[in-house]
Amino acid sequence: MQYRKLGKTDFSVSEISLGTWQVGGKWGDPFSHENADQILNAAVDRGINFIDTADVYGDGESEKAVGRLVRSRSEQIYVATKCGRQLQPHTNDAYQPAVLRQFVEQSLRNMQLDTIDLIQLHCPPTEVYYRPEIFEVFDRLKEEGKIRHLGVSVEKVEEGLKALTFPNVCSIQLIFNMFRQRPQELLFREAKRHNVGLIVRVPLASGLLTGKFSRDTTFSADDHRQFNREGAAFDKGETFSGVDYEVGLEAVEALKNVFPDQPNLAPVALRWVLMFDEVSCVIPGASKPSQLDSNLQAAELPAITAEQMQQVRAIYDERIRPLVHYTW
């Protein structure tokens, strides 16, 4: 495992880390703490030291599992969680400093920890990024020892760029993958200039970039890959990176021709993300240990060649860019 510095923090984090949206099991199933414990401990055994969770994952159960892991292990494990998505309705007006403080304190109770290493605003409405009082409350929480650092999780490049204007923002979590390439332009450059770390989520485009899906693949009714393709429940870009499913399948077939010796595209897709040195870490999820093993294969792959990088870009430019590039 290789490690990279996370922005302004003193954290040296595993370049392949773990997102825990699905750590309790596959979509739609009740949260399994046995499953979560197995995946989380296997991750630490393999050198992962950065775990990303949120208060809404499994309605707090994911945070409980992560906290239990940290308390049971002797290794240095950095915990990142998020706040804000509990708000109903999830609007700019609902974001208030006192409410965010309550969320942070509830996360501490869920995890039974004294301090959160990294708290992140959880994809708030764009207007929130223009309200200094929202960012200031985290300075108070840091003074009180309840958090160590603040980050943001964004949907749009604009939100990331605005977040960079707040000195206490140490990291930006964003969607970046072979089907979502816009961030590598201005946002990557500006984040590096501000010494802000980049945490990459949805690196496999909700599984599309594993190369294992087909037109015959079915998803359960309560799987976001079924019900959120048009953004019915949350931002459309979180599901298949906002790419039409059929278009995505065709693009994946083209990618397979670029990497003909790779039966599983997932490690290649993760290795592609890590080719960008502005990225601090990538946080693919896993709902079973075999998926964790697949993700970690990326650490063993050689660097992607310049020719292959150009071919991936050409597939994006031809098939994906016209449909999604300026949306996020």
Side-chain angles (χ1 to χ4, degrees):
M1 180 67 72
Q2 300 297 312
Y3 298 83
R4 303 185 182 190
K5 191 169 183 293
L6 181 63
K8 303 171 188 175
T9 75
D10 60 353
F11 302 169
S12 180
V13 299
S14 48
E15 61 180 17
I16 302 171
S17 290
L18 181 66
T20 61
W21 197 1
Q22 304 160 269
V23 76
K26 68 179 183 179
W27 278 101
D29 288 354
F31 192 96
S32 166
H33 279 278
E34 180 180 359
N35 192 73
D37 288 349
Q38 191 174 3
I39 292 171
L40 288 165
N41 280 283
V44 175
D45 290 343
R46 298 286 294 276
I48 289 175
N49 72 346
F50 181 84
I51 309 291
D52 178 81
T53 185
D55 54 6
V56 292
Y57 294 174
D59 195 24
E61 296 305 305
S62 176
E63 284 190 331
K64 292 175 184 177
V66 171
R68 184 168 60 249
L69 170 82
V70 173
R71 298 194 309 274
S72 69
R73 302 287 299 228
S74 61
E75 296 90 344
Q76 171 69 70
I77 302 169
Y78 298 109
V79 175
T81 191
K82 310 182 200 74
C83 62
R85 294 298 300 196
Q86 291 188 67
L87 294 168
Q88 295 293 336
H90 186 242
T91 61
N92 174 44
D93 290 343
Y95 273 78
Q96 299 297 329
V99 177
L100 293 171
R101 170 181 286 275
Q102 291 172 8
F103 289 157
V104 170
E105 292 172 346
Q106 181 58 54
S107 289
L108 287 167
R109 288 192 290 270
N110 284 346
M111 295 187 285
Q112 298 181 40
L113 299 176
D114 295 326
T115 305
I116 295 168
D117 295 313
L118 179 68
I119 186 71
Q120 303 159 97
L121 288 171
H122 198 172
C123 299
T126 303
E127 299 93 326
V128 171
Y129 293 92
Y130 293 82
R131 295 173 54 195
E133 75 275 14
I134 296 299
F135 291 81
E136 287 169 1
V137 69
F138 295 98
D139 285 334
R140 307 291 83 76
L141 289 164
K142 184 174 182 178
E143 291 167 359
E144 296 165 18
K146 293 177 179 177
I147 69 168
R148 293 178 68 183
H149 297 288
L150 170 67
V152 297
S153 183
V154 304
E155 299 288 4
K156 300 177 181 179
V157 165
E158 172 196 347
E159 295 164 350
L161 291 171
K162 181 58 181 172
L164 290 173
T165 67
F166 294 98
N168 60 347
V169 170
C170 296
S171 65
I172 297 173
Q173 184 179 138
L174 72 163
I175 298 175
F176 178 61
N177 57 52
M178 291 175 171
F179 289 170
R180 177 75 70 86
Q181 297 196 28
R182 187 183 178 201
Q184 70 177 280
E185 299 170 354
L186 179 61
L187 182 56
F188 273 33
R189 184 169 70 248
E190 288 299 296
K192 186 173 185 176
R193 188 167 70 87
H194 286 82
N195 193 25
V196 168
L198 296 177
I199 301 167
V200 171
R201 72 176 186 278
V202 198
L204 302 179
S206 307
L208 256 181
L209 288 169
T210 64
K212 297 180 179 180
F213 295 171
S214 72
R215 288 173 177 79
D216 298 325
T217 302
T218 58
F219 304 97
S220 64
D222 50 7
D223 188 320
H224 76 105
R225 293 171 293 188
Q226 180 65 36
F227 68 74
N228 196 57
R229 293 190 186 188
E230 298 303 322
F234 43 82
D235 192 278
K236 177 181 175 181
E238 297 282 350
T239 302
F240 301 132
S241 297
V243 175
D244 175 81
Y245 185 66
E246 297 285 333
V247 171
L249 290 176
E250 293 172 0
V252 165
E253 289 306 308
L255 287 170
K256 288 179 179 178
N257 293 329
V258 179
F259 303 99
D261 59 338
Q262 296 294 334
N264 178 6
L265 272 185
V268 178
L270 296 175
R271 190 71 184 88
W272 180 88
V273 172
L274 294 171
M275 292 296 293
F276 298 85
D277 61 10
E278 298 92 342
V279 171
S280 298
C281 66
V282 59
I283 52 169
S287 59
K288 51 187 177 183
S290 61
Q291 292 174 346
L292 176 67
D293 293 338
S294 171
N295 296 338
L296 289 170
Q297 288 175 22
E300 302 165 9
L301 292 180
I304 296 174
T305 68
E307 181 182 1
Q308 289 171 326
M309 293 294 287
Q310 290 172 357
Q311 290 174 310
V312 171
R313 182 64 183 220
I315 291 169
Y316 174 80
D317 287 343
E318 178 184 347
R319 299 171 181 268
I320 306 297
R321 173 189 283 269
L323 304 177
V324 304
H325 189 75
Y326 292 107
T327 306
W328 292 279

